[in-house]
Amino acid sequence: MKKTSLFLVAFLVVTSVVFASSFVTSDTEFTVFSAERVNFKIKGTGSKNIPVSIGIGSQPGSGACCSGVSPFTTASFVGNVGDVVYDGKTKRVITKISREMNGTTLDLSQYY
């Protein structure tokens, strides 16, 4: 009886381990990339007096749209490295976000 009980317990443990391991997946199946966030400012067009609506996303028309930047204001933005800053009305790309933009100010008067 003791041997039978021991065998039954061992069989259940082995079966449980085999069954549970079939649900374990390798790390390569679910690779999660965390996006690097960059903080930057955008300064308006100044004396050109053009209000611009700014969008940020992987391509024009995607992501967060639109935040207005008045001609004589400076607004803070956050975006992921590799995303683009675009004009929300015309969908024109202004610049691509890079690590080097962190803490800098983008002057829209240079683009309009």
Side-chain angles (χ1 to χ4, degrees):
M1 183 74 184
K2 211 175 196 182
K3 288 182 182 180
T4 306
S5 301
L6 187 58
F7 176 75
L8 184 60
V9 168
F11 177 75
L12 290 174
V13 168
V14 169
T15 305
S16 299
V17 169
V18 170
F19 182 71
S21 67
S22 66
F23 289 110
V24 176
T25 59
S26 68
D27 291 338
T28 57
E29 287 184 39
F30 298 104
T31 305
V32 177
F33 297 100
S34 61
E36 185 177 348
R37 309 281 286 171
V38 175
N39 296 302
F40 57 96
K41 294 180 181 181
I42 298 179
K43 181 180 174 185
T45 58
S47 61
K48 294 180 182 177
N49 207 26
I50 303 169
V52 181
S53 62
I54 297 293
I56 298 176
S58 59
Q59 61 186 8
S62 69
C65 182
C66 290
S67 298
V69 178
S70 298
F72 294 98
T73 62
T74 301
S76 296
F77 290 88
V78 178
N80 295 325
V81 171
D83 282 356
V84 293
V85 176
Y86 63 92
D87 184 317
K89 292 178 186 170
T90 65
K91 304 294 189 246
R92 182 181 77 139
V93 173
I94 296 170
T95 190
K96 187 172 184 178
I97 299 174
S98 64
R99 287 183 184 98
E100 292 77 27
M101 285 181 66
N102 197 31
T104 63
T105 300
L106 182 68
D107 187 357
L108 290 178
S109 66
Q110 296 175 356
Y111 298 90
Y112 289 87

